[in-house]
Amino acid sequence: MRKKIVAGNWKLNKNLEEGLSLASEIINIAKDELHNQAILVINPPFIHLSSLQKLIPQNTNIRLGSQNCYHQKSGAFTGEISAEMLKSVGVQYTIVGHSERREYFNETAEQLAQKVKLLLEVGITPIFCCGESLSIRESGSHLAFVAQQITDSLFDLSVEDIQKIVIAYEPIWAIGTGKTASSAQAQEMHAYLRNHLAQKYSQEIAQNISILYGGSCNPQNAKELFACADIDGGLIGGASLKSRDFITIAQSF
Ligand code: PGA
C-alpha cells in the first residue's frame, strides 16, 4: 500500500517565531482533528529545522522535511547543507528538483540524481519534483517531457531504492498561479508516470510509489484531486502557510 502524503513547502517564508507558531498550530490541529492515515511533512527553511524538530512529538504522523540539499557529500562548498547534516537534525524527507530550483539555480538532472543518491545513503526520503512549462504543455509533448525528467534523474536507481522515492508532479504553469491542473489532467500525467515506472521496474513496484500533485492545490480542490486513482497526496506551497488550510487539505483523502 502506498502512503498518502501531504507535504507543505514553505519556500522563502516565515521567520523563526512565525515558523514555530505555524508549526505549533499544525501540530495541535492535527492532533485534535486529523484522524486519517495521511503523513504530514513540514518543509521549513533550513535555519528553522532544529527548532521545529524539538516541537514535533514522537508517535505522530507529522514529519520534518527540508526544501533542498547539496549534491556533494562534504568539503569546500561555502554556504551549502549536506544530506548527512539534514539527517543529524531529524529530517526525514527532502524536496529535490523543485522547478524553482531547476530554473533559478540551474540545477541539472545529473545534480538531482546525485542529491537523490546522497539522501538515500543517509536514509532520507527524497520528494522528487517534475513538471512541464506552459509552452511544453501547449506543444503537446508534456507526457514525454516529464517522463524523461524521471528517466534522467531516477532510472539509475536499484529496484530497492526506487521504492524509497516519492514523486511530486508539479506543472510549472500551476505553481503559485491559482490555476490548478484539472483532476483529469493531473490523473492523466500520474497514470502515465506510473506506467513509465512500471515499464522500467515492474507493475508491482510502480504501484508502491507515491505520486503527489502540486500546483495551486487548496482546500477547495484537494478532494477532487486526491480522489483520482493515481494521486496519492499533494505538495502544497501557498496553502501550507495557513494551518487550517493545510490540515483541511490533509483531511481531503
Ligand atoms: P503552490 O506551490 O501550492 O503555491 O502552487 C506548490 C509548490 O511549489 O510546491
Side-chain angles (χ1 to χ4, degrees):
M1 263 285 282
R2 47 191 195 252
K3 291 185 182 126
K4 305 282 188 200
I5 300 170
V6 172
N9 176 9
W10 290 7
K11 307 191 182 184
L12 185 59
N13 293 294
K14 304 288 174 192
N15 65 25
L16 179 59
E17 197 186 331
E18 293 162 347
L20 287 170
S21 120
L22 174 57
S24 303
E25 285 170 26
I26 291 169
I27 292 163
N28 289 331
I29 305 177
K31 178 158 63 62
D32 295 339
E33 298 179 28
L34 188 62
H35 304 300
N36 61 22
Q37 293 305 305
I39 292 175
L40 286 187
V41 188
I42 300 177
N43 300 268
F46 286 132
I47 197 167
H48 305 339
L49 286 167
S50 280
S51 308
L52 260 61
Q53 194 271 333
K54 296 185 185 80
L55 275 190
I56 300 176
Q58 301 290 308
N59 308 321
T60 63
N61 276 355
I62 302 179
R63 308 276 184 270
L64 188 63
S66 72
Q67 300 171 21
N68 184 29
C69 71
Y70 198 53
H71 63 275
Q72 300 280 346
K73 209 174 195 144
S74 64
F77 302 104
T78 302
E80 294 299 336
I81 308 276
S82 74
E84 201 274 329
M85 292 170 195
L86 294 172
K87 181 72 180 176
S88 74
V89 296
V91 166
Q92 290 173 280
Y93 288 79
T94 292
I95 299 169
V96 174
H98 190 281
S99 59
E100 287 152 16
R101 296 217 54 93
R102 291 181 192 252
E103 185 180 347
Y104 307 142
F105 302 94
N106 302 314
E107 293 191 350
T108 65
E110 294 72 33
Q111 289 170 345
L112 302 182
Q114 194 58 24
K115 291 181 190 212
V116 165
K117 185 169 153 280
L118 292 169
L119 289 164
L120 291 174
E121 271 175 25
V122 299
I124 294 177
T125 301
I127 301 177
F128 179 80
C129 299
C130 52
E132 81 286 0
S133 64
L134 187 58
S135 63
I136 290 172
R137 177 158 283 266
E138 285 172 348
S139 77
S141 56
H142 49 288
L143 296 171
F145 177 86
V146 180
Q148 190 64 42
Q149 288 182 316
I150 288 183
T151 302
D152 290 346
S153 295
L154 299 182
F155 275 10
D156 279 342
L157 293 176
S158 66
V159 168
E160 289 73 42
D161 282 347
I162 192 74
Q163 299 180 70
K164 299 176 187 157
I165 304 288
V166 171
I167 291 173
Y169 166 58
E170 299 202 300
I172 296 170
W173 47 271
I175 295 177
T177 57
K179 194 176 166 209
T180 327
S182 68
S183 53
Q185 285 173 320
Q187 167 58 23
E188 178 190 36
M189 179 64 81
H190 284 229
Y192 189 87
L193 297 180
R194 199 177 302 287
N195 184 48
H196 187 59
L197 290 159
Q199 289 190 351
K200 166 75 180 172
Y201 294 94
S202 72
Q203 191 57 248
E204 196 192 340
I205 286 169
Q207 286 302 329
N208 278 330
I209 297 175
S210 297
I211 308 181
L212 315 183
Y213 168 78
S216 298
C217 187
N218 61 40
Q220 287 72 44
N221 59 31
K223 244 195 176 82
E224 188 181 332
L225 287 161
F226 295 179
C228 297
D230 289 287
I231 300 182
D232 305 307
L235 179 54
I236 319 298
S240 75
L241 298 172
K242 294 189 188 125
S243 52
R244 175 57 62 189
D245 286 1
F246 189 53
I247 299 291
T248 304
I249 293 170
Q251 288 167 324
S252 302
F253 290 105

